[in-house]
Amino acid sequence: MANILLPVLTFLLLSGLGFAVREASWQQGACQIRNINAQEPSQSIQAEGGVTEFWDYQNQQFQCAGVSIRRHRIQPKGLLLPLYHNAPVLVYAVKGKGIFGVVNSGCPETFESSQQFGRSEEERSQSFKDKHQKIEQFRQGEIVAVPAGAAHWVYNNGDQELVLVVFHDNGNNANQLDQNPRSFFLAGNPESGQSEEQYKGSSRVFRGFEVQTLSEAFQIDEEAARKLQGQQDERGHIVTVERGFRVISPPEEYGRREGEEERYSGGRNGLEETSICSAKIKENLDKPSRADVYNPRAGRYTTVNSLTLPILSFLKLSAARGVLYKNGIMAPHWYLNAHSVIYVTHGESRMQIVNHRGQAVFDGLVREGQVIVVPQNFAAVKLAGEQGCEWVAFNTNGNAMINTLSGRTSAIRGLPADVIANAYQISREEAVRLKSSRQETMIFSGRSRSERGRAASA
Amino acid sequence: MANILLPVLTFLLLSGLGFAVREASWQQGACQIRNINAQEPSQSIQAEGGVTEFWDYQNQQFQCAGVSIRRHRIQPKGLLLPLYHNAPVLVYAVKGKGIFGVVNSGCPETFESSQQFGRSEEERSQSFKDKHQKIEQFRQGEIVAVPAGAAHWVYNNGDQELVLVVFHDNGNNANQLDQNPRSFFLAGNPESGQSEEQYKGSSRVFRGFEVQTLSEAFQIDEEAARKLQGQQDERGHIVTVERGFRVISPPEEYGRREGEEERYSGGRNGLEETSICSAKIKENLDKPSRADVYNPRAGRYTTVNSLTLPILSFLKLSAARGVLYKNGIMAPHWYLNAHSVIYVTHGESRMQIVNHRGQAVFDGLVREGQVIVVPQNFAAVKLAGEQGCEWVAFNTNGNAMINTLSGRTSAIRGLPADVIANAYQISREEAVRLKSSRQETMIFSGRSRSERGRAASA
Amino acid sequence: MANILLPVLTFLLLSGLGFAVREASWQQGACQIRNINAQEPSQSIQAEGGVTEFWDYQNQQFQCAGVSIRRHRIQPKGLLLPLYHNAPVLVYAVKGKGIFGVVNSGCPETFESSQQFGRSEEERSQSFKDKHQKIEQFRQGEIVAVPAGAAHWVYNNGDQELVLVVFHDNGNNANQLDQNPRSFFLAGNPESGQSEEQYKGSSRVFRGFEVQTLSEAFQIDEEAARKLQGQQDERGHIVTVERGFRVISPPEEYGRREGEEERYSGGRNGLEETSICSAKIKENLDKPSRADVYNPRAGRYTTVNSLTLPILSFLKLSAARGVLYKNGIMAPHWYLNAHSVIYVTHGESRMQIVNHRGQAVFDGLVREGQVIVVPQNFAAVKLAGEQGCEWVAFNTNGNAMINTLSGRTSAIRGLPADVIANAYQISREEAVRLKSSRQETMIFSGRSRSERGRAASA
């Protein structure tokens, strides 16, 4: 639970992991946020094997937070071609399953097709030989972290659409240029699709090099170099794999034993086993058993941060998954050290977001498929509707810290009764009641719609 | 002493505490500081139990440094209601005494009224029961560090005015929005007071939520929820506590034994004891025995930084207290890695501040109650007047490093005599004399006014 | 080798050295770099003992990267007078040899003239006595790192011109003001030279103080104080040392034994031996034996970063030296976490630099003495001409990480063959060939000019 973890987190922070990861990046007065809206994608770009939808990154709430959001819908057999970004990204799988690969120059190719134990020499010589870097099975409810500048690709090996929500932290210190989202394609030509600001006119990096240069750099003939540029390629940035897609992967049905691929690798030493090459980049946010806060009557809350997924201390990002049952409430709260960008994956929630003037900058419903930004320090509350509400929150800090206003671990509870009594002009007894009335932690059971009456209908 | 500590500091910095904590945040050319002025508060906001005075944060020197300053004057029995800020703050007590509380969601309530040892069961059941988070006795000469987003309150339990100078580091990386100072009130409605830019139109966060939402979140009736909003409350952000103010606190006269509250707490483990929940947040800057530099003829200089108050490595701030006796001098110096914001607590000082063009951007008197910013790398000197001068300096780095131009540990002394001789077209002997003439360290004894003659009268 | 070191680097980064060192510092849309040009100095300022040439820091490529470049040409017996900057700098010696001194307030004067072993009492009493901080012999091919705010000086003790290229990282977090380069002179008056934006109207810091103040601060008479200000000094910022220049230095011919000056120092303890006072600030980038990548047919590549020169973890900078023989190629690559600023020291190279739209923002020759910026994530390739090409690259990260597109450790090699086959519409066999054809690492042997044909003549 975020609240309860706070002391532990902070201990580590004081040990040097670093608290402050970014800074105000807007000029004086430029972020007088008066209104925040739940947003849907404003543009999309179609490709052969799927579609990418973009939230308008020039919208003020995204600009002020220095973030951008996009969503890939990859069809079965669709392959999102290798690309890298100018910012660290978090990728959450809303639906479906796939294979995720991140490649880093200098990392060993630890997945080898022909050196698996238990196969005969004969079998090996007959099989198609390849070796490549580690890849990940990736499915609904899982999140993957990708550093700025690291090339990655995704293949939908399931039989339904694979839906990925991708969070870009352009304001992150890892991005030294400006806050515009920039994607570099190693293959694919998104320009072939419909016009979209972020990809508009984009094509693969190889087109910027001369054919002769590529021929020389890869030691291939110019015919082959021309294929790298793919001038006639109209499939876009997500292509459909026609014949079977073969990659080397530990047997999926048994799961991968921890560290298995390391044992198969000859060229790595102790240091490297703790390097980015073998860093864990994936975590399941959806398993109820991983919940940090669990309330059988109200829902659950699960976080992933630099303590549970160490690469996040490097990316300065964290995430959380919230599940509210029918009429559940997430306590009024604020993040001390992060913006929180919320994507609703199921149901809907009434949210109120309050600025430093005590004004609601948002009071409305956030529905499945919508995104809303809760700026750092702004107070927010969520009230789930009749269908409950599920969401993923992307936070701009490796250890986002939350303060709640009510409930068992709230800040209000830490105040002396006499401070409360004098603050709200109530008796000491009322103050003690205010502190202790709500015994649950962060995720509360709520009233039904009819009980809420006027409030819910507003 | 700052100079002598430099090697130690740096060792730790190299060990990963992090040197660079912020960056240039103004556009090209926007900080061509040509003039700096000693500033007094430009606005104030009156409340029932005191007044808050604000320096104009839009003044260029504050803008360029990314900082803001305010001063609370809290009357006896006055309670500054709980609030939090978008930036880490340092609070220095110029006068008076009080109780300071910082609350963090998830921290245990370690101050309990009814479970103290040595009391009978009967006594416990009769006493008013409460428990809350750790609180601090706080008095003149002490400084308290508060992280961004952490709620805090102050009560004046003395019999004179409690005067607090509050330094906000809005440009700190811990603030991810813009550089405007933002204060979030959990209670109190500063708008009821006079108009002031920073608080104008502000009211407590609870007003941004609906009554029904509060009622549900706190599990209280709507009548009680309405009190949280306090629509009729006209007392402002500092209220007067009419009846006795009761909080749980170790007996003040004996002092608190180190770690005492930890022993009384059941729910904490080893890790948590080093967490933010039990982090030391207070330090005395005024005790002569704590001086880092002490010159019986000239004054003293006392620093607090991430080594003496570890939470400052987290806040990336440090502070210093300077005391110059009559006609004392603080050596010409510059800060390598911090802006220094100076508040004069007593007396006055003539200061000269020099930019990279060798021009004095300030040459004048800084008097008690005034503030001046010395930008990073700018060279400065202080010459105390007949009454001497005392000040507190807030620095925008967890380990502000200072270089002096003259005196025993100065940079000039580190230069070979032949570099000095050739630089200033003097003989080697004169060069050696220049290096060694002033034997004191940073705090020098000076000439009397009459000796200073023209210089002092300028 | 940068590629192969990547896992090691990253391990350390994950251990807390910090990955992200800066952030986007330009407003939305301000860095739509469409064209980059190889630049030569646009201004220069002449002084008695040499000349300083400036690249136009307001040029967009430097602005976007937050860096500036200058070059000192110091004549034999020329002394670059003590100065400090608002940003950390790297100084690379392109030609010649000299003495480099960095002074830090509080560091001990460990070089003493009269306490050397093996000299008689008599000799000592006769010799000119001085003591000063550590100084460095500095020669062609070496690089020196200087923290922001640290005063330093350089003396040409050789018999040819000493040419230094100085890289300022103004966008570094160590600079808390704006991104303008600012140099503070402790001596010398560069204004006496020709007009130049960066030094224009500049004079030594001492001129900003009153004579009386200096007299008092240094405890010298006003006559001597006036010499500190040097109102009549017209020699500029580089002066000529007329008589012999004497500094204390271990015998150059035998080299300095590791840690020698520490043994001679009485006042330092264990901690201080690892402090900034004794930190190593110099590294040789040019020695072939230090190469990280070496290809006897193509050239070599040598890096210096926070692992090889620990002060760089503090400065958040690193550097590399590339040597391409005739027709050698540096693989197409991009930096994940740094801008790279390239200064060609010998020969010339054809470069192509490609943005995220797949457009070449530069395609041309970069010649000896020219500078070009490769922005973070932009893909670049270098093809040396008939004379080969040598350069130094200054990178805005303590551990700049590089990804190559072709060669033995490239990102492309880490991709499964089926991803490549589908990406470029080639067969699996062609994909395997594409991955493995170029067996060299980063530095490739290339075709001769005639073989390059059209490409080379473009």
Side-chain angles (χ1 to χ4, degrees):
Chain A
M1 196 199 72
N3 282 8
I4 281 164
L5 280 180
L6 190 128
V8 184
L9 300 186
T10 317
F11 166 72
L12 283 158
L13 291 172
L14 289 171
S15 313
L17 285 183
F19 170 89
V21 301
R22 41 196 287 146
E23 71 166 60
S25 37
W26 299 100
Q27 273 193 292
Q28 174 64 28
C31 276
Q32 297 296 10
I33 301 167
R34 304 209 185 278
N35 264 294
I36 288 176
N37 294 300
Q39 299 276 327
E40 297 188 357
S42 59
Q43 302 215 30
S44 70
I45 176 165
Q46 187 68 47
E48 183 191 54
V51 63
T52 298
E53 299 159 312
F54 297 85
W55 275 256
D56 177 15
Y57 73 96
Q58 298 188 311
N59 178 281
Q60 196 201 21
Q61 64 181 310
F62 296 120
Q63 288 280 326
C64 284
V67 302
S68 58
I69 294 270
R70 64 186 67 167
R71 183 170 59 202
H72 301 299
R73 299 185 172 279
I74 304 172
Q75 297 312 312
K77 296 186 194 296
L79 172 66
L80 173 64
L81 292 172
L83 80 174
Y84 62 92
H85 309 293
N86 65 333
V89 304
L90 295 178
V91 184
Y92 180 78
V94 174
K95 205 175 82 178
K97 58 171 245 180
I99 299 170
F100 203 104
V102 178
V103 289
N104 284 297
S105 198
C107 286
E109 291 98 47
T110 49
F111 281 34
E112 294 186 59
S113 57
S114 54
Q115 292 179 20
Q116 294 171 22
F117 293 167
R119 288 201 180 177
S120 70
E121 187 67 33
E122 198 184 13
E123 275 177 305
R124 264 184 267 163
S125 62
Q126 284 169 347
S127 65
F128 169 66
K129 279 187 194 178
D130 190 19
K131 54 180 180 178
H132 53 74
Q133 291 182 19
K134 187 176 161 184
I135 60 175
E136 299 279 348
Q137 302 296 330
F138 183 46
R139 58 176 65 244
Q140 180 176 334
E142 292 180 327
I143 195 162
V144 164
V146 184
H152 53 283
W153 55 272
V154 186
Y155 177 68
N156 182 349
N157 67 347
D159 48 16
Q160 61 168 328
E161 196 180 49
L162 172 61
V163 180
L164 305 176
V165 175
V166 187
F167 168 79
H168 291 237
D169 188 23
N170 307 300
N172 195 287
N173 285 7
N175 173 23
Q176 297 190 10
L177 213 49
D178 59 30
Q179 290 206 357
N180 290 325
R182 284 185 170 82
S183 297
F184 294 76
F185 295 89
L186 297 187
N189 298 311
E191 66 177 356
S192 325
Q194 299 155 28
S195 152
E196 203 286 324
E197 263 303 307
Q198 286 175 68
Y199 284 174
K200 196 175 183 177
S202 284
S203 58
R204 58 184 82 176
V205 164
F206 289 131
R207 283 201 186 163
F209 295 118
E210 290 226 332
V211 168
Q212 291 81 359
T213 302
L214 292 175
S215 151
E216 203 166 339
F218 282 88
Q219 220 156 39
I220 51 177
D221 59 34
E222 296 196 0
E223 177 63 25
R226 240 171 243 117
K227 286 182 180 161
L228 280 182
Q229 294 195 327
Q231 300 288 359
Q232 261 66 54
D233 189 350
E234 306 244 315
R235 299 170 302 160
H237 63 297
I238 306 175
V239 302
T240 302
V241 174
E242 297 300 344
R243 56 181 183 182
F245 185 75
R246 290 201 294 183
V247 290
I248 305 133
S249 177
E252 202 185 339
E253 41 286 346
Y254 301 110
R256 179 162 65 73
R257 288 203 303 276
E258 202 61 35
E260 190 161 14
E261 77 277 25
E262 276 80 359
R263 283 203 305 277
Y264 285 59
S265 151
R268 305 169 71 189
N269 60 27
L271 260 187
E272 286 169 355
E273 288 187 6
T274 56
S275 80
I276 207 173
C277 295
S278 56
K280 197 185 167 201
I281 59 165
K282 187 181 76 170
E283 183 61 80
N284 190 309
L285 262 180
D286 206 28
K287 255 190 234 166
S289 62
R290 275 207 64 243
D292 295 305
V293 180
Y294 175 61
N295 181 335
R297 291 174 313 285
R300 63 180 192 268
Y301 194 77
T302 311
T303 58
V304 58
N305 55 41
S306 69
L307 296 173
T308 45
L309 189 60
I311 197 175
L312 294 178
S313 73
F314 182 65
L315 269 60
K316 316 281 188 206
L317 296 176
S318 55
R321 174 104 173 111
V323 173
L324 287 177
Y325 303 156
K326 177 179 171 174
N327 302 322
I329 300 173
M330 179 165 170
H333 65 276
W334 73 93
Y335 277 101
L336 283 77
N337 59 358
H339 301 304
S340 187
V341 180
I342 288 160
Y343 176 88
V344 175
T345 56
H346 176 77
E348 64 182 35
S349 200
R350 187 172 173 227
M351 280 189 74
Q352 292 166 42
I353 303 176
V354 180
N355 72 5
H356 64 294
R357 304 212 181 281
Q359 297 154 347
V361 293
F362 179 76
D363 183 2
L365 286 175
V366 188
R367 296 188 179 82
E368 182 175 330
Q370 291 184 330
V371 171
I372 196 160
V373 175
V374 182
Q376 185 186 8
N377 289 316
F378 281 42
V381 67
K382 288 191 194 73
L383 301 102
E386 293 294 311
Q387 276 77 45
C389 183
E390 302 183 6
W391 72 92
V392 59
F394 304 103
N395 299 328
T396 59
N397 194 299
N399 291 293
M401 292 196 286
I402 202 168
N403 262 356
T404 50
L405 282 165
S406 64
R408 202 161 55 73
T409 57
S410 66
I412 293 287
R413 260 210 177 190
L415 292 172
D418 261 25
V419 170
I420 294 175
N422 281 286
Y424 305 116
Q425 297 180 292
I426 56 180
S427 71
R428 275 173 187 153
E429 291 66 33
E430 287 175 302
V432 168
R433 212 173 309 133
L434 185 73
K435 284 168 70 166
S436 57
S437 182
R438 180 58 92 172
Q439 283 291 335
E440 296 160 306
T441 304
M442 203 199 301
I443 299 293
F444 303 159
S445 50
R447 300 175 192 159
S448 72
R449 178 168 297 179
S450 57
E451 289 169 322
R452 274 181 197 161
R454 190 166 57 86
S457 66
Chain B
M1 197 199 70
N3 281 8
I4 280 163
L5 280 179
L6 191 128
V8 183
L9 300 187
T10 316
F11 164 71
L12 283 159
L13 291 172
L14 289 172
S15 314
L17 286 184
F19 169 89
V21 300
R22 41 196 288 146
E23 71 167 58
S25 38
W26 299 100
Q27 272 193 292
Q28 173 65 28
C31 277
Q32 297 296 11
I33 301 166
R34 303 209 184 279
N35 264 294
I36 287 177
N37 294 299
Q39 298 277 327
E40 297 188 357
S42 59
Q43 302 216 29
S44 70
I45 176 163
Q46 187 68 46
E48 183 191 52
V51 63
T52 299
E53 300 160 311
F54 296 85
W55 275 255
D56 177 15
Y57 73 95
Q58 297 187 311
N59 179 282
Q60 195 201 23
Q61 66 182 307
F62 297 119
Q63 288 281 326
C64 283
V67 303
S68 58
I69 295 268
R70 63 186 67 168
R71 181 170 60 202
H72 301 299
R73 298 184 174 279
I74 304 173
Q75 298 311 312
K77 295 189 195 296
L79 172 66
L80 173 64
L81 292 172
L83 79 173
Y84 62 91
H85 309 293
N86 64 333
V89 305
L90 295 177
V91 184
Y92 181 78
V94 174
K95 205 175 83 179
K97 59 171 244 180
I99 299 171
F100 203 104
V102 178
V103 289
N104 283 297
S105 198
C107 286
E109 291 97 47
T110 49
F111 280 34
E112 295 186 58
S113 56
S114 54
Q115 294 179 18
Q116 293 171 23
F117 293 166
R119 287 201 183 178
S120 70
E121 186 67 34
E122 199 184 14
E123 274 178 304
R124 262 184 267 162
S125 62
Q126 284 168 347
S127 66
F128 170 66
K129 279 186 192 177
D130 190 18
K131 56 181 181 178
H132 54 72
Q133 291 182 20
K134 187 177 162 183
I135 61 176
E136 299 279 349
Q137 302 296 331
F138 183 46
R139 59 177 63 245
Q140 180 176 333
E142 292 180 329
I143 194 161
V144 164
V146 184
H152 53 284
W153 55 272
V154 186
Y155 177 68
N156 182 348
N157 67 346
D159 47 17
Q160 61 168 327
E161 197 180 48
L162 172 61
V163 180
L164 306 176
V165 175
V166 187
F167 168 78
H168 291 237
D169 188 22
N170 306 301
N172 195 287
N173 284 7
N175 173 23
Q176 297 190 10
L177 213 49
D178 59 30
Q179 291 205 356
N180 289 325
R182 283 186 171 82
S183 297
F184 294 76
F185 294 90
L186 297 187
N189 298 312
E191 66 178 354
S192 324
Q194 299 154 28
S195 152
E196 202 286 325
E197 262 304 307
Q198 285 175 69
Y199 283 174
K200 196 176 183 176
S202 284
S203 58
R204 58 185 80 177
V205 163
F206 289 130
R207 283 202 186 161
F209 294 118
E210 289 226 333
V211 168
Q212 289 82 357
T213 302
L214 293 175
S215 152
E216 204 168 339
F218 281 88
Q219 221 157 40
I220 52 177
D221 59 34
E222 295 197 359
E223 179 62 27
R226 240 171 244 117
K227 286 182 179 160
L228 280 182
Q229 293 195 328
Q231 299 288 0
Q232 261 66 53
D233 189 351
E234 306 243 316
R235 299 169 302 161
H237 63 298
I238 306 175
V239 302
T240 304
V241 174
E242 297 301 345
R243 55 180 183 180
F245 185 75
R246 289 201 294 183
V247 291
I248 305 134
S249 177
E252 202 185 339
E253 42 286 348
Y254 302 109
R256 180 163 63 74
R257 289 202 302 275
E258 202 62 35
E260 190 162 12
E261 77 279 24
E262 275 80 0
R263 284 203 304 278
Y264 285 62
S265 151
R268 304 170 70 189
N269 60 26
L271 260 187
E272 286 169 355
E273 288 188 6
T274 56
S275 80
I276 206 173
C277 295
S278 56
K280 195 184 168 200
I281 61 165
K282 188 182 75 171
E283 184 61 81
N284 190 308
L285 261 182
D286 206 29
K287 253 189 236 166
S289 61
R290 277 208 62 243
D292 295 304
V293 179
Y294 174 62
N295 181 335
R297 292 173 314 284
R300 62 179 192 270
Y301 195 76
T302 311
T303 58
V304 57
N305 55 41
S306 69
L307 296 173
T308 46
L309 189 61
I311 198 175
L312 294 178
S313 73
F314 182 66
L315 269 61
K316 316 281 188 205
L317 296 176
S318 55
R321 174 105 174 112
V323 173
L324 286 177
Y325 303 155
K326 178 180 170 173
N327 302 323
I329 301 173
M330 178 163 171
H333 65 276
W334 73 93
Y335 277 101
L336 282 77
N337 60 357
H339 301 305
S340 187
V341 180
I342 287 159
Y343 176 88
V344 175
T345 57
H346 176 78
E348 63 181 38
S349 198
R350 185 171 177 230
M351 280 188 74
Q352 292 167 42
I353 304 176
V354 180
N355 71 5
H356 63 293
R357 304 212 182 282
Q359 297 154 349
V361 293
F362 179 77
D363 183 1
L365 286 175
V366 188
R367 296 189 179 83
E368 182 175 328
Q370 291 184 330
V371 172
I372 197 160
V373 175
V374 183
Q376 185 186 8
N377 289 317
F378 281 43
V381 68
K382 288 190 194 73
L383 301 102
E386 293 295 311
Q387 277 76 46
C389 182
E390 301 183 7
W391 71 91
V392 58
F394 304 103
N395 300 328
T396 58
N397 194 298
N399 291 294
M401 293 197 287
I402 204 169
N403 262 356
T404 51
L405 282 165
S406 64
R408 201 163 54 76
T409 57
S410 66
I412 293 288
R413 258 207 178 194
L415 292 172
D418 260 26
V419 171
I420 294 174
N422 281 285
Y424 305 116
Q425 296 180 292
I426 56 181
S427 71
R428 275 173 186 154
E429 290 65 33
E430 287 174 302
V432 169
R433 211 174 308 132
L434 184 73
K435 284 169 69 165
S436 58
S437 183
R438 180 58 92 171
Q439 283 291 334
E440 296 159 309
T441 304
M442 202 197 303
I443 299 294
F444 303 158
S445 51
R447 300 172 192 163
S448 73
R449 178 169 297 180
S450 57
E451 289 170 320
R452 275 181 195 161
R454 187 166 60 85
S457 65
Chain C
M1 195 200 71
N3 282 7
I4 280 164
L5 281 179
L6 190 127
V8 183
L9 299 186
T10 316
F11 164 72
L12 282 158
L13 291 172
L14 288 172
S15 314
L17 286 182
F19 169 88
V21 299
R22 40 198 288 148
E23 70 167 61
S25 37
W26 299 100
Q27 274 192 292
Q28 175 64 26
C31 276
Q32 297 296 13
I33 302 165
R34 303 207 185 278
N35 265 294
I36 288 177
N37 294 301
Q39 299 277 326
E40 298 189 357
S42 59
Q43 302 216 31
S44 70
I45 176 164
Q46 186 69 44
E48 182 191 55
V51 63
T52 298
E53 299 159 311
F54 296 85
W55 276 256
D56 177 15
Y57 74 95
Q58 297 187 312
N59 179 282
Q60 196 201 21
Q61 66 182 308
F62 297 120
Q63 288 281 327
C64 284
V67 303
S68 58
I69 295 268
R70 63 187 66 167
R71 183 170 58 202
H72 301 299
R73 299 185 172 279
I74 305 173
Q75 298 311 312
K77 295 187 196 295
L79 172 65
L80 173 63
L81 292 172
L83 80 171
Y84 62 91
H85 309 293
N86 64 334
V89 305
L90 295 177
V91 185
Y92 181 79
V94 174
K95 203 176 82 178
K97 60 171 243 181
I99 299 171
F100 203 104
V102 178
V103 289
N104 284 297
S105 197
C107 286
E109 291 97 46
T110 49
F111 280 34
E112 295 186 60
S113 57
S114 55
Q115 293 179 19
Q116 293 171 21
F117 293 167
R119 287 201 182 181
S120 71
E121 186 68 33
E122 198 184 15
E123 275 178 306
R124 264 184 267 161
S125 64
Q126 285 170 349
S127 67
F128 169 65
K129 277 188 193 176
D130 189 19
K131 56 179 180 178
H132 54 73
Q133 290 182 20
K134 188 177 161 184
I135 61 175
E136 299 280 348
Q137 302 294 331
F138 184 46
R139 60 176 63 245
Q140 179 176 334
E142 292 180 328
I143 193 161
V144 164
V146 184
H152 53 282
W153 54 272
V154 186
Y155 177 68
N156 182 349
N157 67 347
D159 48 17
Q160 62 168 327
E161 196 179 50
L162 171 61
V163 180
L164 305 176
V165 175
V166 187
F167 168 77
H168 291 237
D169 188 22
N170 306 300
N172 195 288
N173 285 7
N175 173 23
Q176 298 190 12
L177 213 51
D178 59 29
Q179 291 206 354
N180 289 326
R182 284 184 169 83
S183 297
F184 294 78
F185 295 89
L186 297 187
N189 299 311
E191 67 178 354
S192 324
Q194 299 155 28
S195 152
E196 201 287 324
E197 261 304 307
Q198 286 175 69
Y199 284 174
K200 195 176 184 178
S202 284
S203 59
R204 59 183 82 176
V205 163
F206 289 130
R207 284 200 185 163
F209 294 118
E210 290 227 331
V211 168
Q212 291 80 359
T213 302
L214 292 175
S215 152
E216 204 166 338
F218 281 88
Q219 221 157 38
I220 51 177
D221 59 34
E222 296 196 1
E223 178 63 26
R226 239 171 244 115
K227 285 181 181 162
L228 280 182
Q229 292 195 330
Q231 299 289 359
Q232 262 66 56
D233 188 352
E234 307 242 316
R235 300 169 302 162
H237 63 296
I238 306 174
V239 302
T240 303
V241 174
E242 298 299 346
R243 56 181 184 181
F245 184 75
R246 288 202 293 183
V247 291
I248 305 131
S249 178
E252 204 186 338
E253 43 285 346
Y254 301 110
R256 179 164 65 74
R257 288 203 303 274
E258 201 62 36
E260 191 161 12
E261 77 277 26
E262 275 81 1
R263 283 204 304 279
Y264 285 59
S265 153
R268 304 170 72 188
N269 59 27
L271 260 187
E272 286 168 353
E273 289 189 4
T274 56
S275 81
I276 207 172
C277 294
S278 56
K280 196 185 168 199
I281 60 165
K282 187 182 77 170
E283 183 61 80
N284 190 309
L285 262 180
D286 207 29
K287 254 189 234 166
S289 62
R290 275 207 65 242
D292 295 304
V293 179
Y294 175 61
N295 181 335
R297 292 173 314 283
R300 63 180 191 269
Y301 195 76
T302 310
T303 59
V304 58
N305 55 41
S306 69
L307 296 173
T308 45
L309 190 59
I311 198 175
L312 294 179
S313 72
F314 182 65
L315 269 61
K316 316 281 187 206
L317 295 175
S318 54
R321 174 103 174 112
V323 173
L324 286 177
Y325 304 154
K326 176 179 172 175
N327 302 322
I329 300 173
M330 178 164 170
H333 66 277
W334 72 94
Y335 277 100
L336 283 76
N337 59 358
H339 301 304
S340 187
V341 180
I342 288 159
Y343 176 88
V344 175
T345 57
H346 176 79
E348 63 181 36
S349 199
R350 187 172 175 227
M351 279 188 76
Q352 292 167 42
I353 304 175
V354 179
N355 71 6
H356 64 292
R357 305 212 180 281
Q359 298 154 345
V361 293
F362 178 77
D363 182 2
L365 286 175
V366 189
R367 295 189 179 80
E368 183 175 329
Q370 291 184 329
V371 171
I372 196 159
V373 175
V374 182
Q376 184 185 8
N377 289 317
F378 281 41
V381 67
K382 287 190 194 74
L383 301 101
E386 294 294 311
Q387 276 77 44
C389 182
E390 302 183 6
W391 70 93
V392 57
F394 304 102
N395 300 328
T396 59
N397 193 299
N399 290 295
M401 293 196 286
I402 203 168
N403 262 355
T404 50
L405 282 165
S406 64
R408 202 163 54 75
T409 58
S410 65
I412 293 287
R413 258 209 179 192
L415 293 172
D418 261 24
V419 170
I420 294 174
N422 281 286
Y424 304 115
Q425 297 180 292
I426 56 180
S427 70
R428 275 173 186 154
E429 291 65 34
E430 287 174 302
V432 169
R433 212 174 307 132
L434 185 72
K435 283 168 70 167
S436 58
S437 182
R438 180 60 89 171
Q439 284 290 334
E440 296 160 307
T441 304
M442 205 200 302
I443 299 293
F444 303 158
S445 51
R447 301 174 193 160
S448 73
R449 178 168 296 181
S450 57
E451 289 169 321
R452 276 181 194 162
R454 188 167 58 85
S457 66

